[in-house]
Amino acid sequence: MQMGNLCDSNRLNKFLMIFLFLIITISLIVFTGTSVLAQFKTGSAVPDFELESLDGKSYQLSQYYNKQDNLLLFFVKNDDSASIDKLQELITFFEDYQPRESYQIIAIVEAEQDNPKIEEDFNSLQNNTEIPLLILLNENNPIIDSFQIKNYPTILLLKYDLKVRKEFSGFSSRQEKSFYQYLSFTFTKQNSSSSSGCEGGVCPPPEGY
């Protein structure tokens, strides 16, 4: 009888250990996969911050309150060529799409190491386009650091009142497709084409909108 009780007790302890392990594992996955997502949900306000541009001028986010229909905060690392390439792709999208709505793109560069060549590349990106693009450098700004950006690029699409419309963190091929579908739904194409599949320049909402 005692042997049977001991076996039952061991099985219960084993079950509890497995259950606890699963709970801890799931919690870690959720925690590590959630950074800006937990802080900036749709409709939440983004805290004001001040950063310097490539030419040393200071800009505050609040300067753009009610100045455009949409504002994109694009977080990129200066030593991450993949996220820099994604910024170039975003620039190309807006150059081709030419939306009717007013907008501003602010690229926030996480400058973890001083690299004049990379700063030169960002200057080239900014100077070789006519879209409204501003590149700011983040060097341990506590407000920006509080965003806890872990995946690059991370993009916050803000409304005119600087409240979050949508957040995209990291780009798998599926996430990237969803992002550009969302942009095509949010913005109206200046010169719409009947072959685009978007009636009157307005695309249908992406999946999960």
Side-chain angles (χ1 to χ4, degrees), residues 1 15 21 44 79 82-83 89 95 102 133 166 168 191 198:
M1 186 69 178
F15 172 78
F21 174 77
S44 64
D79 60 349
S83 64
E89 291 173 11
E95 288 175 339
S102 59
L133 170 67
K166 195 78 170 176
F168 296 86
N191 300 312
C198 302

Side-chain angles (χ1 to χ4, degrees), residues 31-80:
F31 178 77
T32 55
T34 305
S35 53
V36 70
L37 280 170
Q39 294 192 51
F40 302 113
K41 297 178 180 179
T42 300
S44 64
V46 174
D48 193 20
F49 58 80
E50 183 175 352
L51 293 172
E52 288 188 357
S53 62
L54 295 169
D55 60 4
K57 294 181 181 179
S58 293
Y59 292 85
Q60 285 183 274
L61 178 63
S62 55
Q63 291 177 231
Y64 295 90
Y65 180 84
N66 210 20
K67 295 293 179 63
Q68 62 286 304
D69 296 319
N70 294 280
L71 186 145
L72 289 88
L73 293 181
F74 192 104
F75 294 86
V76 58
K77 286 186 76 172
N78 70 348
D79 60 349
D80 181 5

Side-chain angles (χ1 to χ4, degrees), residues 178-194:
S178 175
F179 170 68
Y180 283 106
Q181 283 180 334
Y182 190 87
L183 288 187
S184 299
F185 170 68
T186 303
F187 292 92
T188 307
K189 193 170 185 179
Q190 190 73 254
N191 300 312
S192 60
S193 170
S194 58

Side-chain angles (χ1 to χ4, degrees), residues 4-193:
N5 290 338
L6 182 60
C7 290
D8 290 342
S9 177
N10 287 338
R11 280 196 293 267
L12 179 60
N13 288 337
K14 186 177 181 179
F15 172 78
L16 290 175
M17 288 180 66
I18 293 174
F19 180 75
L20 182 61
F21 174 77
L22 290 174
I23 292 296
I24 293 173
T25 302
I26 293 171
S27 299
L28 286 174
I29 292 172
V30 172
F31 178 77
T32 55
T34 305
S35 53
V36 70
L37 280 170
Q39 294 192 51
F40 302 113
K41 297 178 180 179
T42 300
S44 64
V46 174
D48 193 20
F49 58 80
E50 183 175 352
L51 293 172
E52 288 188 357
S53 62
L54 295 169
D55 60 4
K57 294 181 181 179
S58 293
Y59 292 85
Q60 285 183 274
L61 178 63
S62 55
Q63 291 177 231
Y64 295 90
Y65 180 84
N66 210 20
K67 295 293 179 63
Q68 62 286 304
D69 296 319
N70 294 280
L71 186 145
L72 289 88
L73 293 181
F74 192 104
F75 294 86
V76 58
K77 286 186 76 172
N78 70 348
D79 60 349
D80 181 5
S81 60
S83 64
I84 296 172
D85 288 344
K86 296 305 179 185
L87 176 58
Q88 177 62 74
E89 291 173 11
L90 181 69
I91 293 170
T92 301
F93 170 85
F94 277 101
E95 288 175 339
D96 293 342
Y97 202 79
Q98 298 182 14
R100 296 174 185 173
E101 297 84 358
S102 59
Y103 68 96
Q104 174 70 47
I105 300 173
I106 299 179
I108 299 175
V109 181
E110 299 291 333
E112 293 188 352
Q113 49 182 293
D114 188 18
N115 189 328
K117 174 63 169 62
I118 292 178
E119 288 193 17
E120 182 180 322
D121 291 342
F122 279 114
N123 259 316
S124 178
L125 280 178
Q126 184 170 262
N127 296 332
N128 291 331
T129 184
E130 295 183 359
I131 70 170
L133 170 67
L134 174 65
I135 297 179
L136 303 178
L137 300 176
N138 174 39
E139 297 178 346
N140 300 318
N141 181 293
I143 296 178
I144 298 297
D145 291 345
S146 72
F147 287 17
Q148 299 177 20
I149 304 297
K150 291 183 173 65
N151 301 314
Y152 295 90
T154 285
I155 303 170
L156 286 176
L157 178 58
L158 310 181
K159 297 185 292 184
Y160 65 92
D161 56 1
L162 305 182
K163 291 184 178 180
V164 176
R165 184 187 293 277
K166 195 78 170 176
E167 187 270 352
F168 296 86
S169 181
F171 268 1
S172 65
S173 57
R174 182 176 180 180
Q175 289 169 326
E176 186 170 5
K177 180 180 179 181
S178 175
F179 170 68
Y180 283 106
Q181 283 180 334
Y182 190 87
L183 288 187
S184 299
F185 170 68
T186 303
F187 292 92
T188 307
K189 193 170 185 179
Q190 190 73 254
N191 300 312
S192 60
S193 170

